[in-house]
Amino acid sequence: MSKKSTSDIPQEAFDWYDEYAHGGIDRRSFMAKLATLVAVGYSMTALTSALLPNYALAEQVSFNDDEIKATYKTFDSPEGYGKGVGYLVTPTNKTGTLPVVLVIHENRGLNPYVKDVARRLAKVGYLAFAPDALFPLGGYPGNDDEGRAMQKTMDAAKIQHDFVAAAKFIKKHHRSNGKLGAIGFCFGGYMVNYLAAVESDLIIAGVPFYGTPAKKELRKNIKASLLIQLAELDERVNNTWPEYESDLKMAKAPYQMQIYKNAKHGFHNDSTGRYDKENAKLAWHRTLAFFTEKLG
């Protein structure tokens, strides 16, 4: 039997990965499902290479780039885990105060892809701050499987408090102009929606990529402008959109929604086979234009 091309991997395999990544099935069940595709001609190596991240692919802006400076900053989080740490990236070619963007990772800690997103934002002139929810457990462990398992053991309410504390910390940074935006992916997309809802004046602009909304009772508080980025093939998240849109309208919250044709959940992440170069490029262009309009 000839081996099938990775370009022919069926959508169901990506759905299985999404289910696994969000705790719906364990790794053994995920691998067993992939084995059914091996039985019909796919290579397990090709399948896992397409579905699991390769962070060597994700560096668009080097941490050695002369136009940025990257470091780590600790912040207090008395209602969360006590202390938090974030990856702070500052433009080196700009003086004075800057608009600020909080960058929020997926449900596996501050991995190299999300750090690179922070560097991309700093490269175009933002003060970017990317906290690591896993700091209380020692930080991102170096691979997503362990990171996902670690984050799953943590108190969700405390994690949320940590990100609120991070937002307030970076908003008051001496290089901040007081205008705070937030961008997040998957769990991070949920956190952007949560930050917009939990305190009306915490952020003024949010870009949640394929993130679910905050609890319904909080949505009435939303005043921040939102750019909702959705993937056409992401049924799990997209099913939450109609009700969320209705609540945004009820709250008179300024929002726009973009849905990306034939894109999968995680399409912006350039370290996995879900990456969609053209849609990711378009979504990023829209993100930067949105932040320019709302933050300056």
Side-chain angles (χ1 to χ4, degrees):
M1 182 186 297
S2 60
K3 293 295 183 184
K4 297 188 180 184
S5 166
T6 56
S7 63
D8 296 326
I9 293 174
Q11 175 61 33
E12 62 186 337
F14 293 95
D15 293 339
W16 295 336
Y17 176 75
D18 188 57
E19 189 178 9
Y20 162 59
H22 295 91
I25 56 175
D26 60 20
R27 184 177 178 84
R28 178 178 293 181
S29 299
F30 170 57
M31 298 304 291
K33 286 176 179 288
L34 291 186
T36 65
L37 296 179
V38 175
V40 296
Y42 291 94
S43 158
M44 181 61 81
T45 299
L47 289 169
T48 55
S49 294
L51 296 171
L52 302 176
N54 176 1
Y55 288 122
L57 304 175
E59 187 176 81
Q60 293 188 23
V61 178
S62 170
F63 66 88
N64 288 319
D65 192 300
D66 289 341
E67 294 184 355
I68 63 167
K69 179 181 179 182
T71 186
Y72 291 88
K73 292 293 182 182
T74 302
F75 58 91
D76 292 325
S77 181
E79 295 183 74
Y81 277 96
K83 293 283 185 181
V85 163
Y87 183 66
L88 178 66
V89 196
T90 309
T92 58
N93 55 359
K94 293 184 179 294
T95 59
T97 59
L98 301 166
V100 186
V101 179
L102 189 72
V103 184
I104 309 176
H105 58 68
E106 304 138 312
N107 65 337
R108 59 212 68 173
L110 184 60
N111 60 34
Y113 153 66
V114 178
K115 290 170 74 174
D116 194 68
V117 170
R119 294 195 296 270
R120 296 174 207 176
L121 286 162
K123 178 85 170 177
V124 296
Y126 294 96
L127 184 67
F129 190 55
D132 187 354
L134 300 185
F135 170 70
L137 302 183
Y140 176 70
N143 74 77
D144 279 19
D145 273 356
E146 286 186 42
R148 186 183 301 112
M150 289 167 65
Q151 189 162 328
K152 194 174 181 180
T153 69
M154 299 177 73
D155 185 311
K158 287 187 176 182
I159 289 177
Q160 291 179 162
H161 284 305
D162 282 350
F163 279 104
V164 170
K168 292 179 177 180
F169 165 79
I170 198 61
K171 192 174 183 178
K172 294 178 181 178
H173 191 276
H174 71 278
R175 292 294 305 276
S176 166
N177 68 0
K179 295 182 178 181
L180 177 64
I183 184 172
F185 307 90
C186 188
F187 161 79
Y190 160 76
M191 280 305 313
V192 173
N193 287 322
Y194 175 79
L195 293 176
V198 70
E199 294 185 24
S200 296
D201 60 353
L202 185 57
I203 65 172
I204 63 173
V207 184
F209 274 76
Y210 26 85
T212 53
K215 289 182 178 179
K216 189 173 179 65
E217 59 266 27
L218 294 177
R219 299 175 201 169
K220 63 182 181 297
N221 301 324
I222 297 174
K223 293 181 180 178
S225 297
L226 297 175
L227 171 59
I228 311 287
Q229 308 269 37
L230 300 177
E232 185 181 38
L233 303 181
D234 188 5
E235 183 177 351
R236 179 183 60 85
V237 172
N238 295 350
N239 285 342
T240 69
W241 172 243
E243 182 184 85
Y244 190 25
E245 181 177 36
S246 177
D247 289 339
L248 289 172
K249 288 177 178 178
M250 287 287 291
K252 295 183 170 55
Y255 76 93
Q256 54 181 293
M257 188 275 280
Q258 300 288 350
I259 191 160
Y260 295 86
K261 188 172 178 59
N262 295 322
K264 301 174 176 65
H265 182 94
F267 74 87
H268 185 267
N269 187 334
D270 48 359
S271 70
T272 79
R274 298 172 295 162
Y275 177 55
D276 183 325
K277 184 177 180 180
E278 292 307 313
N279 276 323
K281 182 178 179 180
L282 177 58
W284 190 246
H285 172 77
R286 287 170 170 165
T287 296
L288 294 183
F290 177 76
F291 279 149
T292 296
E293 177 188 352
K294 304 302 179 182
L295 305 178

